[in-house]
Amino acid sequence: MITREENKNIYAGILFILILFIIWGIASLLVKPDFGEVYNIVQVTQKMDSFKDEVPDTIDVIFAGNSEVYRTFSPLQIFHETGITSYCMSESALRLCDALGLTKASFETQSPKVVVLEADAIFSDSDPHKDNYALPTNLIEDIFPIFHYHIFYKAYVPEFVFNDSVDLRTEHALRGFVQTDMAVPYTGPADYMNEGDHVRINRDSRKYLDLMREFCEEKNVPLLLTAAPNAKNWNYSKNKALQEYADKYGLDFLDLNMHVQDMGIDWNTDTMDGGNHMSFEGSKKTTAFMEEYLKENYDLTDHRGDPLYSDWEKDNEEYELYP
Amino acid sequence: MSFELFIECIKLWWDPVYSSWMFFALFLPLVILIYAISGKDRRPYVLLFSGWLFFISLSGVMFLVHIFETLLVWRMGIVLGRISEDKSLKRKERTAKKKKLLIAGIISLVAVLFVLKYLDFTGSNVVRLLNILSIPCEWRFLNIAVPVGISYFTLEGISYLTEVYWENIKPRGQYMNVALYMGFFPKLIEGPITRFSDVSDTLFSGLPVSYENLTRGYQRILLGLFKKLLIADHLAPAVDIVYKWEEKAGSVALFAAVIFTIQEYMDFAGSIDIVIGAARIFGVDLKENFRQPFFAKNASDFWHRWHITLGTFFRDYIFYPVSVNKSIMKLTKKVKDRFGAEAGRLTAPSVAIFCVWITNGIWHGPKWNYIFYGLYYFVWIFIENIAEKPFLSLLSKMKLSESSLIVRIFRFIKLFIIVITGEMFFRADSMSVGFEMFRYVFTDFNSRKLIRHLGDMGMDFHDYLTVIIAFILIIILSVLKELKVPYRKAFMSLPVFVRWTAWYALIMVIVVFGAYGSGYDAAGMIYAKF
């Protein structure tokens, strides 16, 4: 027999939980991004904010992907040598879902002519709600996205102490490229393309790759798939998987690993971390190769001398990266 | 949520790193529900089988070790009880027989622990010693999987047998009682190390889930989550990075020791809050494991406030028996005759303290760092025991009371240095790294190096700020507790609207500022590995 007091307590308990769910629901509505589901809301929001500093409709090429992008392609060098404007919409360990979100966001203020998607993110985790570090909380993220986007505040509260870090200062000037002085030689086998396991594009990645392709089709912008030179994480198996995808949908695919000798990559000096990312010297070679490819294959304008793009020339002079 | 994701989540339950999350998300609510709707007689069985399921999910086949130990303890307890009641034997004979059985039981339990946890360590060190003596041989590491919580339930088994031997408790005839005592799931991973008499009135009674216990239990769990997710887990990546000891500087070493001490304290104390809260829901009151340790007046007092249940275990089952051991008494007499009364007074406690601390160090795991850590505290407590009297007479000469602010500040600084230095060695990858870190504090402090690398420690500015604010709040709470301010009573007298708002605010603070999900690595429980 339940007493009156116990009855009251049961109702109080249910009411407490109901109110808690309502609070979580409201908080979820407030923090869920309106540009689609992303994995790391802080990275994406900060990148979008810095990208908004660009003069509207001045960016021709969007480089999307993870750290491979901002270590491999330098927009300032491309502009300096060809007059083509570009931006690295990339962050460390960026997932494909976030690359898609950033690419979509870039079209809000700009009218890019080409989207270049670097492939490393395709062969990593791509789903916004699948997190090896937090799978159990993923269980309720769909119902209460506050558990996924709970670090949203970091994008808005400024970094008082560490805001003088090189990456943040140079974000705008270098258009997302991150310059480094580090160079750690790659000492593995020269035929690294034969190494590694057989891989396929997993289901999550394929889903976001399809979404990226469909978005570019909708915007009537060519999607160029590329793979940065990577002696640690790239091989023929990945090349084949991506080539098949590109062939199936009539996309361009430029695997820079197949042109390592053409570019003159020296694995002793051109990688910053033993083969995974390009060093600054390496990035000069890969960027030069990519800009030639863009120039030859797409109808892109040389903006050098145009007063609207004077910032680009000023930034190059200030940072003295490309004399 | 897709079915595939659900399955992946369930699979990850098998990884102890995620066990804490699964514990809240699924396991605990499910057990509470089944427990609540079960009949009074069946409730202890619900707890027992839940504990077994929890154990199997974490340790798989090694669960059999747990079963073996509980069976051993249960049977030996019964036999010990029978001997105690055997009036055909003389008292001396009974005691001798019981003693033999108790020793056999303890040796069996310790042997299992030794083989699973310490065999590789001992074997490899013996081989190393033989190699130094030019005797060529090698040790093949067995890498045996260690069942979760073995260090805790082994001590509980020893405690049960000893209490039965001392006739402080009656042995339980039902296996279920002993199995549930040693396998009650909230305390399975990290303790607190529980005495049978502490829980026997509640654990087997099948008490109903009351509103009072449910709310108080979850409130305690929230406090634990606050400590763990806002402080300990935020600090976890920074601790891992600084203890790699790649940025060599005294400032980095000191910073490493300080943040590890905070991380360890908040992780362990937070986990224990969760354990005590979860047990409370089932009407079981477990012993507190922490009592504001940094308010201690010396190293000895610190260990009366830090990991209390381990300290009291060693006090009752090692310190007291060793102190009154006949051989030690004889030694005390000899020392007293030769070196005077004061030396005699210190002999027995010093030998007993040595035994306690060497065991404490070894208990933490098969690493020289832990053994050093135990001996380190032995040395400090030994020094403090000797120095206490002269120190007190010095204070009276200076007309200072023990409770004066200056004495308290002095004691705090001394304790802080002792604890921080101990933790520096405790967490270091090896003894040589520990000594190198210690040396750098005095030879190359280089605070600039630390400042330069604060941003590269897996924590951003927001994380540091979160940790600092949360820790200040915990300090305030500790001060209130130490001063015995009845803050809980005051809080409970507030209108329900205010109380609920405060709880919602706390929950949201944990949800928003907690270190979990994207951008954070999952951090396991530190004391689960000991």
Side-chain angles (χ1 to χ4, degrees), chain A residues 84-210:
Chain A
I84 297 168
T85 54
S86 58
Y87 202 101
C88 293
M89 290 295 264
S90 57
E91 284 288 348
S92 173
L94 194 82
R95 292 193 175 189
L96 204 50
C97 53
D98 293 9
L100 174 66
L102 282 173
T103 306
K104 280 183 176 176
S106 67
F107 278 76
E108 287 174 12
T109 54
Q110 303 289 338
S111 308
K113 312 288 183 298
V114 182
V115 172
V116 182
L117 177 63
E118 204 285 327
D120 195 49
I122 297 171
F123 295 98
S124 308
D125 287 329
S126 298
D127 189 278
H129 291 293
K130 203 179 283 180
D131 190 346
N132 283 333
Y133 294 132
L135 274 179
T137 47
N138 297 162
L139 287 169
I140 49 170
E141 282 178 9
D142 274 356
I143 310 163
F144 297 115
I146 180 70
F147 285 90
H148 182 70
Y149 298 113
H150 71 100
I151 52 169
F152 71 96
Y153 66 93
K154 289 188 176 186
Y156 304 103
V157 182
E159 287 263 356
F160 293 109
V161 177
F162 309 127
N163 60 358
D164 61 341
S165 78
V166 176
D167 292 4
L168 289 172
R169 270 192 290 118
T170 57
E171 164 71 30
H172 174 70
L174 304 188
R175 270 74 184 179
F177 175 72
V178 180
Q179 192 256 335
T180 178
D181 297 328
M182 285 172 68
V184 177
Y186 164 66
T187 52
D191 59 341
Y192 64 88
M193 289 287 279
N194 287 315
E195 302 283 312
D197 300 328
H198 175 73
V199 287
R200 291 166 62 187
I201 301 172
N202 67 43
R203 206 166 62 178
D204 293 334
S205 293
R206 181 170 278 273
K207 176 185 155 189
Y208 285 95
L209 191 52
D210 286 345

Side-chain angles (χ1 to χ4, degrees), chain B residues 137-359:
Chain B
C137 54
E138 66 174 283
W139 178 258
R140 274 197 195 164
F141 281 86
L142 304 169
N143 295 320
I144 306 170
V146 180
V148 68
I150 188 167
S151 302
Y152 296 94
F153 65 74
T154 299
L155 295 194
E156 287 176 342
I158 291 171
S159 164
Y160 178 83
L161 290 178
T162 314
E163 294 294 326
V164 172
Y165 168 79
W166 284 337
E167 296 180 24
N168 289 339
I169 57 169
K170 291 254 178 230
R172 293 290 173 132
Q174 274 189 305
Y175 168 67
M176 191 282 281
N177 287 343
V178 176
L180 180 54
Y181 157 64
M182 288 172 68
F184 182 43
F185 73 87
K187 66 172 179 63
L188 203 53
I189 302 178
E190 285 198 322
I193 299 157
T194 304
R195 309 290 173 88
F196 190 81
S197 54
D198 292 340
V199 292
S200 55
D201 287 344
T202 49
L203 191 57
F204 317 121
S205 309
L207 297 169
V209 178
S210 70
Y211 180 77
E212 165 79 3
N213 282 342
L214 191 68
T215 49
R216 288 197 75 157
Y218 266 108
Q219 286 164 6
R220 189 71 191 261
I221 288 173
L222 276 180
L223 180 67
L225 285 174
F226 182 89
K227 289 176 186 171
K228 185 155 169 57
L229 291 180
L230 267 75
I231 304 172
D233 288 3
H234 269 300
L235 288 173
V239 168
D240 289 345
I241 288 170
V242 285
Y243 269 98
K244 279 182 185 164
W245 194 231
E246 285 167 355
E247 296 299 334
K248 293 185 199 305
S251 55
V252 175
L254 195 59
F255 179 74
V258 170
I259 63 169
F260 173 63
T261 305
I262 297 171
Q263 185 213 3
E264 189 192 28
Y265 177 30
M266 288 295 102
D267 183 279
F268 196 18
S271 300
I272 290 295
D273 285 335
I274 292 164
V275 167
I276 289 176
R280 178 74 190 242
I281 293 169
F282 303 105
V284 179
D285 280 327
L286 296 176
K287 287 273 185 213
E288 293 293 339
N289 228 8
F290 290 90
R291 190 167 51 83
Q292 299 82 254
F294 287 93
F295 288 94
K297 60 178 185 178
N298 54 36
S300 178
D301 188 27
F302 176 80
W303 279 92
H304 290 139
R305 294 160 169 263
W306 172 286
H307 208 169
I308 297 168
T309 55
L310 182 70
T312 51
F313 179 92
F314 288 139
R315 182 197 64 198
D316 293 350
Y317 302 115
I318 295 180
F319 184 85
Y320 289 154
V322 170
S323 298
V324 298
N325 183 278
K326 276 180 190 165
S327 316
I328 302 297
M329 302 282 251
K330 275 183 195 166
L331 181 70
T332 303
K333 197 172 177 300
K334 273 185 190 171
V335 173
K336 191 180 168 187
D337 293 345
R338 192 153 179 189
F339 300 103
E342 183 61 16
R345 187 184 66 82
L346 287 169
T347 304
S350 302
V351 174
I353 290 170
F354 177 80
C355 294
V356 163
W357 285 102
I358 193 84
T359 316

Side-chain angles (χ1 to χ4, degrees), chain B residues 40 75 116 139 399 476 512 522:
Chain B
K40 190 174 184 293
R75 278 308 303 169
L116 293 174
W139 178 258
K399 291 180 181 159
I476 293 170
V512 173

Side-chain angles (χ1 to χ4, degrees), chain A residues 9 12-13 15-17 19-20 23-24 27 39-40 129-139 142 146-148 150-154 157-162 203, chain B residues 1-2 4-6 8-9 12 18 21-22 25-26 211 454-455 459-464 466 500 503-504 507-508 511-522:
Chain A
N9 289 339
L15 184 66
F16 186 90
I17 292 168
I19 295 174
L20 183 64
I23 293 171
W24 283 351
Y39 171 69
N40 192 326
H129 291 293
K130 203 179 283 180
D131 190 346
N132 283 333
Y133 294 132
L135 274 179
T137 47
N138 297 162
L139 287 169
D142 274 356
I146 180 70
F147 285 90
H148 182 70
H150 71 100
I151 52 169
F152 71 96
Y153 66 93
K154 289 188 176 186
V157 182
E159 287 263 356
F160 293 109
V161 177
F162 309 127
R203 206 166 62 178
Chain B
M1 180 187 60
S2 68
E4 180 200 2
L5 179 57
F6 180 77
E8 278 190 51
C9 294
L12 268 183
Y18 303 100
W21 276 110
M22 295 312 292
L26 287 178
Y211 180 77
L454 277 177
M459 288 174 72
D460 58 26
F461 170 70
H462 311 101
D463 297 331
Y464 281 107
T466 303
W500 280 29
W503 288 119
Y504 288 132
I507 292 169
M508 287 313 288
V511 169
V512 173
F513 297 103
Y516 68 90
S518 63
Y520 294 106
D521 290 2

Side-chain angles (χ1 to χ4, degrees), chain B residues 293-294 296 298-299 302 411-420:
Chain B
F294 287 93
N298 54 36
F302 176 80
R411 283 191 191 274
F412 174 77
I413 293 170
K414 186 193 73 175
L415 179 74
F416 185 78
I417 293 169
I418 291 172
V419 173
I420 295 298

